[in-house]
Amino acid sequence: MSPSVPSRSARRRAAGTLCVLLAVGVVITGLVQAAPSATPRALDPRIAAVMRKPDYRHAQWGLFRQDPRTGKVSESRYADQFFIPGSAAKLFSVSGTWHTLGGDHRFVTPVHAVGQRRNATLKGDLDLVAQGDLTLGGRTRKDGTVAFTTIDHTYANDVPGATLTPENPLAGIDQLARQVRQSGIRRVDGDVVVDARLFQPDPGLDPVPTPLIINDNVIDLLTTPGAEAGTPAGLEWRPKVAPYHVTSSVRTVAAGKPSDINVSSSPDGTRIQLSGTIAADSAPVLRVSAVKDPNAFGRTALIEALQRAGVEVRAKAVGRNPVRQLPRTYQGAPTVARYTSPAYAQYAELILKVSHNLGANLGICLMATSTGSTNCNDGFPVLAKFLEHAQVDRKAVQLADGRGGNPADRATPRAMAQILTYWQRTPEARRFRTSLPILGVDGTLADSCRSCPSRGKVFAKTGTAAGGDLLNDRLAVGAETTAGYLETRKGHFDVFFAGVNGAATPTADITGVLTIANDVADVAAYLQQQAAGGH
């Protein structure tokens, strides 16, 4: 069955926001044109055939392949021209955060008892001091690894097929509440306060990182079709925290009909409404709604968790986070609970595998906090210093965020190869390489080239930047890129970039973007096969 084409009005609504697939970015026109740099060998005819497709008539392709041990360049096309990287820019931000914090860094989120203890009663407040933990246990498996799906729930409103991990999004909060109980506190004659002074949320970073993050600061909304056409659809949602309330008027329609589910919410985000249709033969459809006040949300979640654990809190669960009650220091205020995260390398894998935008932007703020600053913008000088240490030409990289979605973001293919080469010189080379999506195996490359000879031999970060071209009733694909490693023989990896800027889809159907992404993945596979000596 061919994919359905949305109505013009639906396409206009979609064009109002950026289309998202595999990674998120923006559409920029007017790319710098220049003659291709010299190519040491003839272009693989399979790659040339991809580049000649109609979608790329006005586009610019870039290629680069290099042996990081010898420095020999085997492929070079526009290697020193700026490209819109899309989420391939995460190679820089995640690398900088990893280097700054350390791959084994763990975030320890404490709860302090501020006040006087009288037997089992705390005459005072419980303060949760947020530490910038990306998941706070909400994705952590029993073995300590971080769970992810091929299409992350944070993309659910934009990309078909997003799914949930089975882990409890309130796991870390519940653990903290149980520890408070185990500390001997049974009653809090005061309040619960979230201390989010680690850094100031910066609206220039989209999505905006916050010191306290629960379930990626979204509510998950899972709709399932009813028993037959005309019946109400089923609804499950999480995490259930007061005063959030969800209602649905989604109806089941006949099998084969389009599923079209819309989400709206009250100004404060606490009243969420789903509307639309779901086909009787449809798989469950996931949508998300933003948590607009993460600190108030976290405060209520902790009070409710304390109550479940058997700790009575005098303060009302629902309300503003009373930040004015925070002390200047926690000296003398005992720690009655702490949640310890998985290692940062696990978070880096999540960010890179699924192209997790919030986590990538969070890294900028965390680099700032390493200097004692609460201003996220102070993370960029830290990143700049690291790139110089990593022998990356800093002038060949432009970044205004961590995720690769700002209109200013640019990088040359050679600069991306340089950051990849840096990791090959470190003891964590394998750890970093396997954190990237693997062709035909996992992450944003899971569904590409599943049966080709290069399956499992390409490790690369993908990037997409796309938006609506209303003039031509299609999608303008500002960028589709990939950069990473090609296994040329056992234990040997070339660094590479393959990408196209300025492509366009035939229609306004988002599956056209997937076609372009598959073309770029195929080019990466051909580069690997060529490097390995096979055609």
Side-chain angles (χ1 to χ4, degrees), residues 470-482:
L470 294 179
L471 179 67
N472 296 293
D473 199 23
R474 62 184 181 179
L475 297 177
V477 183
E480 189 64 54
T481 60
T482 185

PDB file of all heavy atoms in Angstrom, residues 470-482:
ATOM      1  N   LEU A 470       6.401  25.069   0.617  1.00  0.00           N
ATOM      2  CA  LEU A 470       5.009  25.312   0.247  1.00  0.00           C
ATOM      3  C   LEU A 470       4.869  25.731  -1.212  1.00  0.00           C
ATOM      4  O   LEU A 470       3.849  25.472  -1.851  1.00  0.00           O
ATOM      5  CB  LEU A 470       4.408  26.380   1.157  1.00  0.00           C
ATOM      6  CG  LEU A 470       4.264  25.991   2.637  1.00  0.00           C
ATOM      7  CD1 LEU A 470       3.668  27.147   3.419  1.00  0.00           C
ATOM      8  CD2 LEU A 470       3.416  24.749   2.783  1.00  0.00           C
ATOM      9  N   LEU A 471       5.888  26.391  -1.761  1.00  0.00           N
ATOM     10  CA  LEU A 471       5.832  26.847  -3.142  1.00  0.00           C
ATOM     11  C   LEU A 471       5.665  25.673  -4.097  1.00  0.00           C
ATOM     12  O   LEU A 471       4.903  25.735  -5.060  1.00  0.00           O
ATOM     13  CB  LEU A 471       7.097  27.636  -3.482  1.00  0.00           C
ATOM     14  CG  LEU A 471       7.198  28.163  -4.912  1.00  0.00           C
ATOM     15  CD1 LEU A 471       6.126  29.226  -5.151  1.00  0.00           C
ATOM     16  CD2 LEU A 471       8.591  28.720  -5.175  1.00  0.00           C
ATOM     17  N   ASN A 472       6.386  24.579  -3.819  1.00  0.00           N
ATOM     18  CA  ASN A 472       6.385  23.428  -4.721  1.00  0.00           C
ATOM     19  C   ASN A 472       5.678  22.213  -4.149  1.00  0.00           C
ATOM     20  O   ASN A 472       5.747  21.132  -4.729  1.00  0.00           O
ATOM     21  CB  ASN A 472       7.833  23.062  -5.076  1.00  0.00           C
ATOM     22  CG  ASN A 472       8.526  24.169  -5.837  1.00  0.00           C
ATOM     23  OD1 ASN A 472       8.173  24.480  -6.962  1.00  0.00           O
ATOM     24  ND2 ASN A 472       9.524  24.790  -5.198  1.00  0.00           N
ATOM     25  N   ASP A 473       5.016  22.393  -3.000  1.00  0.00           N
ATOM     26  CA  ASP A 473       4.233  21.324  -2.384  1.00  0.00           C
ATOM     27  C   ASP A 473       5.081  20.064  -2.184  1.00  0.00           C
ATOM     28  O   ASP A 473       4.719  18.957  -2.586  1.00  0.00           O
ATOM     29  CB  ASP A 473       3.013  21.004  -3.245  1.00  0.00           C
ATOM     30  CG  ASP A 473       1.945  20.253  -2.441  1.00  0.00           C
ATOM     31  OD1 ASP A 473       1.953  20.369  -1.205  1.00  0.00           O
ATOM     32  OD2 ASP A 473       1.117  19.556  -3.067  1.00  0.00           O
ATOM     33  N   ARG A 474       6.240  20.254  -1.542  1.00  0.00           N
ATOM     34  CA  ARG A 474       7.155  19.143  -1.287  1.00  0.00           C
ATOM     35  C   ARG A 474       7.932  19.461  -0.024  1.00  0.00           C
ATOM     36  O   ARG A 474       7.649  20.443   0.666  1.00  0.00           O
ATOM     37  CB  ARG A 474       8.100  18.949  -2.474  1.00  0.00           C
ATOM     38  CG  ARG A 474       8.993  20.160  -2.734  1.00  0.00           C
ATOM     39  CD  ARG A 474       9.859  20.000  -3.965  1.00  0.00           C
ATOM     40  NE  ARG A 474      10.726  21.158  -4.171  1.00  0.00           N
ATOM     41  CZ  ARG A 474      11.590  21.264  -5.161  1.00  0.00           C
ATOM     42  NH1 ARG A 474      11.714  20.288  -6.065  1.00  0.00           N
ATOM     43  NH2 ARG A 474      12.352  22.349  -5.273  1.00  0.00           N
ATOM     44  N   LEU A 475       8.908  18.655   0.287  1.00  0.00           N
ATOM     45  CA  LEU A 475       9.768  18.898   1.438  1.00  0.00           C
ATOM     46  C   LEU A 475      11.167  19.282   0.955  1.00  0.00           C
ATOM     47  O   LEU A 475      11.733  18.628   0.074  1.00  0.00           O
ATOM     48  CB  LEU A 475       9.857  17.660   2.328  1.00  0.00           C
ATOM     49  CG  LEU A 475       8.543  17.212   2.967  1.00  0.00           C
ATOM     50  CD1 LEU A 475       8.745  15.931   3.759  1.00  0.00           C
ATOM     51  CD2 LEU A 475       7.990  18.305   3.869  1.00  0.00           C
ATOM     52  N   ALA A 476      11.675  20.337   1.523  1.00  0.00           N
ATOM     53  CA  ALA A 476      13.047  20.761   1.241  1.00  0.00           C
ATOM     54  C   ALA A 476      13.954  20.119   2.284  1.00  0.00           C
ATOM     55  O   ALA A 476      13.753  20.306   3.478  1.00  0.00           O
ATOM     56  CB  ALA A 476      13.165  22.276   1.308  1.00  0.00           C
ATOM     57  N   VAL A 477      14.918  19.360   1.840  1.00  0.00           N
ATOM     58  CA  VAL A 477      15.824  18.653   2.742  1.00  0.00           C
ATOM     59  C   VAL A 477      17.146  19.415   2.757  1.00  0.00           C
ATOM     60  O   VAL A 477      18.012  19.226   1.897  1.00  0.00           O
ATOM     61  CB  VAL A 477      16.016  17.188   2.312  1.00  0.00           C
ATOM     62  CG1 VAL A 477      16.901  16.448   3.318  1.00  0.00           C
ATOM     63  CG2 VAL A 477      14.659  16.501   2.193  1.00  0.00           C
ATOM     64  N   GLY A 478      17.260  20.309   3.736  1.00  0.00           N
ATOM     65  CA  GLY A 478      18.465  21.117   3.829  1.00  0.00           C
ATOM     66  C   GLY A 478      19.701  20.273   3.986  1.00  0.00           C
ATOM     67  O   GLY A 478      20.759  20.602   3.448  1.00  0.00           O
ATOM     68  N   ALA A 479      19.570  19.167   4.709  1.00  0.00           N
ATOM     69  CA  ALA A 479      20.734  18.305   4.906  1.00  0.00           C
ATOM     70  C   ALA A 479      20.309  16.884   5.216  1.00  0.00           C
ATOM     71  O   ALA A 479      19.320  16.645   5.910  1.00  0.00           O
ATOM     72  CB  ALA A 479      21.602  18.832   6.048  1.00  0.00           C
ATOM     73  N   GLU A 480      21.055  15.954   4.671  1.00  0.00           N
ATOM     74  CA  GLU A 480      21.014  14.545   5.083  1.00  0.00           C
ATOM     75  C   GLU A 480      22.463  14.098   5.117  1.00  0.00           C
ATOM     76  O   GLU A 480      23.143  14.070   4.082  1.00  0.00           O
ATOM     77  CB  GLU A 480      20.198  13.701   4.111  1.00  0.00           C
ATOM     78  CG  GLU A 480      19.948  12.288   4.608  1.00  0.00           C
ATOM     79  CD  GLU A 480      19.102  12.269   5.867  1.00  0.00           C
ATOM     80  OE1 GLU A 480      18.015  12.864   5.862  1.00  0.00           O
ATOM     81  OE2 GLU A 480      19.542  11.654   6.864  1.00  0.00           O
ATOM     82  N   THR A 481      22.969  13.828   6.308  1.00  0.00           N
ATOM     83  CA  THR A 481      24.397  13.581   6.465  1.00  0.00           C
ATOM     84  C   THR A 481      24.650  12.347   7.321  1.00  0.00           C
ATOM     85  O   THR A 481      23.791  11.901   8.082  1.00  0.00           O
ATOM     86  CB  THR A 481      25.092  14.782   7.143  1.00  0.00           C
ATOM     87  OG1 THR A 481      24.501  14.993   8.432  1.00  0.00           O
ATOM     88  CG2 THR A 481      24.923  16.048   6.323  1.00  0.00           C
ATOM     89  N   THR A 482      25.854  11.843   7.194  1.00  0.00           N
ATOM     90  CA  THR A 482      26.315  10.788   8.086  1.00  0.00           C
ATOM     91  C   THR A 482      27.836  10.869   8.164  1.00  0.00           C
ATOM     92  O   THR A 482      28.508  11.164   7.169  1.00  0.00           O
ATOM     93  CB  THR A 482      25.854   9.397   7.600  1.00  0.00           C
ATOM     94  OG1 THR A 482      26.224   8.407   8.549  1.00  0.00           O
ATOM     95  CG2 THR A 482      26.465   9.033   6.264  1.00  0.00           C
TER      96      THR A 482
END
